[in-house]
Every structure is written in C-alpha cells, then in structure tokens.
Amino acid sequence: MKFASHRVALSTIILSTLGLAAPLYAYGSLGHEIVGAIADERLANTVTGTKIRALLDGLSLEKAGVMPDEIKGWDKNGVDDPKSFHYARYPKVDKQLRDFWRANQQIDNMNSAVPSHHWFHYADVPVLPAQKYGEGRVGRSKWDIVHMIPYCLQVLQGRVPEQNERKITKPVAIILLAHYVADIHQPLHVGTE
C-alpha cells in the first residue's frame, strides 16, 4: 500500500513537471484557432452566427482569433510598408485592422495617454501576494483586457460608436473578442509576479 501511494505521488510530480513546460508558451496560434473554431461550431446555423459572418465578410472566428497577434507583425516596419502582409481575401477587414493598428501603435511608455494594442491582451495582477483584480492599481489599467472586453461589447451593442478613437469597429470588435476570450483564460495574461 505504501509503495502504491509513492508511485502515485511520483507520477503526479512527473506529470506536473511535464505539464508546466507547455503552459509557459501560452496558447499560441493553435489555442486561439481552437477557441475560434469552437465558437464557429456553436454559432453555426444561428442568427448570431449569420450576423458575425456578414460583419466579417465570411471570415471564420477560427481565423479571426489569431489576427490580434498577427498584426503585431506590423509593429516592426509599419502597416504601410509594401512588404507588410495583408488580409487580401478580406479587404474590408484588412482596412479596418490597419486603421485599428494605426490608432493603437506599439508604445513602451505605460504612462502614455494613447494606448498600445499590445496592452489590450492582458492584465498584470500580482499573484505574490495574491490579489484580486479590484484590490489594487499595479498591473491594471483602463486599457487592459478586463476593460477591453466590455469596450468591444459596447461597440457591438452600439453604445460606443464605431467611429471611436481606438478605431474599433464592429468587425474589429468581433476579431478582438475572439482573441481576448482565449487570452483572459491564460494565466500568463492575467497575473504577474
């Protein structure tokens, strides 16, 4: 009996150790595609799914879910560089994502009045000592993921106009939500030491 409990404990330690290596890479593209594909499946043949497909010009949520990370590639040379990639199959979405990127370019100064689209993906709530989101100020901002999800929903509901400073239109809001729903469930996107 004692030997069996040691084997279980050892197996648990080994599996936990192996399991810790993978989450350090977060979800990556595959994780975001899976979340989007699940949403596509759940919304198939529904009124909401039809509206989303129309807003996105037929773009799937599976593909949309990776776009907020893909557009980070524009940070190096700018969105107007002739060598930068385009979403040629979805010209309306491409234009709106470019406008969004221009309005929210990468900024390293966390005190800037104008946010960076990078900030929208996470909240850095300290985990040591453990804190709840609302308990402090460090690692939280009006531009973090906790605020951006409702902002995108307000755009979709018409409570925030599509002609807003962040250039988040209804199609862009759907794309961001497809991504942020996965991001907010990743421990590395909502906590920090």
Side-chain angles (χ1 to χ4, degrees), residues 31-48:
H32 285 289
E33 288 173 350
I34 291 170
V35 171
I38 291 169
D40 284 330
E41 186 176 307
R42 299 286 309 256
L43 293 169
N45 304 314
T46 68
V47 173
T48 302

Side-chain angles (χ1 to χ4, degrees), residues 117-132:
H117 63 97
H118 290 259
W119 304 349
F120 302 165
H121 295 250
Y122 63 91
D124 282 336
V125 178
V127 294
L128 294 174
Q131 295 181 17
K132 293 180 181 173

Side-chain angles (χ1 to χ4, degrees), residues 46-154:
T46 68
V47 173
T48 302
T50 302
K51 288 178 184 179
I52 288 171
R53 285 283 216 192
L55 282 170
L56 295 180
D57 281 342
L59 176 71
S60 69
L61 292 172
E62 179 178 358
K63 174 62 178 157
V66 298
M67 288 175 151
D69 280 344
E70 289 176 341
I71 68 170
K72 291 177 183 177
W74 293 337
D75 293 343
K76 184 176 179 184
N77 296 321
V79 73
D80 297 315
D81 183 309
K83 296 179 184 172
S84 76
F85 67 91
H86 295 267
Y87 296 105
R89 291 182 61 197
Y90 309 100
K92 182 176 96 174
V93 169
D94 182 76
K95 182 191 178 319
Q96 291 178 37
L97 281 173
R98 287 172 182 278
D99 291 343
F100 166 75
W101 182 89
R102 285 184 191 99
N104 305 286
Q105 293 183 39
Q106 183 180 9
I107 299 170
D108 294 326
N109 178 3
M110 291 298 290
N111 295 317
S112 172
V114 179
S116 165
H117 63 97
H118 290 259
W119 304 349
F120 302 165
H121 295 250
Y122 63 91
D124 282 336
V125 178
V127 294
L128 294 174
Q131 295 181 17
K132 293 180 181 173
Y133 181 84
E135 290 178 343
R137 296 184 54 119
V138 174
R140 301 132 179 118
S141 79
K142 70 178 188 173
W143 302 114
D144 67 21
I145 192 168
V146 174
H147 289 88
M148 291 309 296
I149 289 174
Y151 188 88
C152 290
L153 290 172
Q154 289 170 2

Side-chain angles (χ1 to χ4, degrees), residues 169-187:
T169 60
K170 288 183 179 185
V172 170
I174 292 168
I175 290 166
L176 296 176
L177 285 170
H179 186 84
Y180 296 161
V181 167
D183 275 354
I184 203 163
H185 289 89
Q186 295 187 63

